[in-house]
Amino acid sequence: MFSSDLIAQASALIADFSANGLKLATAESCTGGLIAGLLTEVPGSSAVVDRGFVTYSNAAKAQMLGIDSHLIKRHGAVSEAVARAMAEGALGHSPVDVAVAVTGVAGPGGGSAEKPVGLVHFAARARDGVLIHREMRFGDIGRANVRLATIHEALILLRQAAEL
């Protein structure tokens, strides 16, 4: 299901988190749980992966992560503000050290001039205060490819937020 490159990247992340006694959570919109799915493909991931929040709808973002619905209305679900709030919410609703959040437009439809297909906002938050935001514009490369590129970038952000 996942490429050998992604499995290798996830395996290295799990090993490094485990060696450092760190736990993580994911808050996923456009990937629909694929980041958590990839991480749990790795043997030993139960020592690292605490939980994943699949918050595909705005209601789920509000109910599961505590995001103010006015924030979503003001900035839109695909925004820096919402990605940051998702990471904060995942951290606040779980006993983990690091959380990563993704929200984007995977396509093929749903894009606009200001938020085109392939736009993804990422946030990673560490309990010690590190907060990273990244905006990626992968382009209209196909739904599956946007989601795979998002998974790859999310793993990089988890490592950076944990300062590994």
Side-chain angles (χ1 to χ4, degrees):
M1 178 158 131
F2 296 107
S3 72
S4 59
D5 288 344
L6 274 177
I7 293 285
Q9 189 181 1
S11 295
L13 181 83
I14 293 294
D16 289 346
F17 267 61
S18 184
N20 287 281
L22 299 174
K23 289 197 168 278
L24 67 86
T26 65
E28 305 180 56
S29 187
C30 62
T31 50
L34 290 173
I35 299 165
L38 169 65
L39 291 169
T40 58
E41 284 285 319
V42 177
S45 60
S46 60
V48 171
V49 179
D50 183 72
R51 65 191 72 190
F53 298 92
V54 178
T55 56
Y56 208 66
S57 70
N58 291 343
K61 288 173 183 65
Q63 293 167 359
M64 295 172 70
L65 299 174
I67 297 174
D68 186 334
S69 60
H70 297 296
L71 180 76
I72 297 171
K73 287 177 187 170
R74 185 168 42 254
H75 297 280
V78 179
S79 64
E80 177 178 349
V82 170
R84 287 175 179 262
M86 288 172 66
E88 293 280 351
L91 199 63
H93 288 83
S94 56
V96 299
D97 304 290
V98 182
V100 68
V102 297
T103 181
V105 184
S112 66
E114 77 176 36
K115 295 183 181 183
V117 170
L119 170 65
V120 180
H121 283 274
F122 299 80
R125 176 85 159 90
R127 196 160 297 279
D128 69 5
V130 173
L131 176 62
I132 301 167
H133 167 262
R134 185 162 298 142
E135 175 185 310
M136 299 294 291
R137 293 178 181 258
F138 297 115
D140 193 353
I141 58 174
R143 184 176 184 81
N145 288 327
V146 168
R147 288 161 50 110
L148 288 171
T150 300
I151 295 165
H152 172 76
E153 195 65 31
L155 296 182
I156 292 170
L157 256 65
L158 277 166
R159 183 174 290 286
Q160 289 175 343
E163 299 178 327
L164 296 175

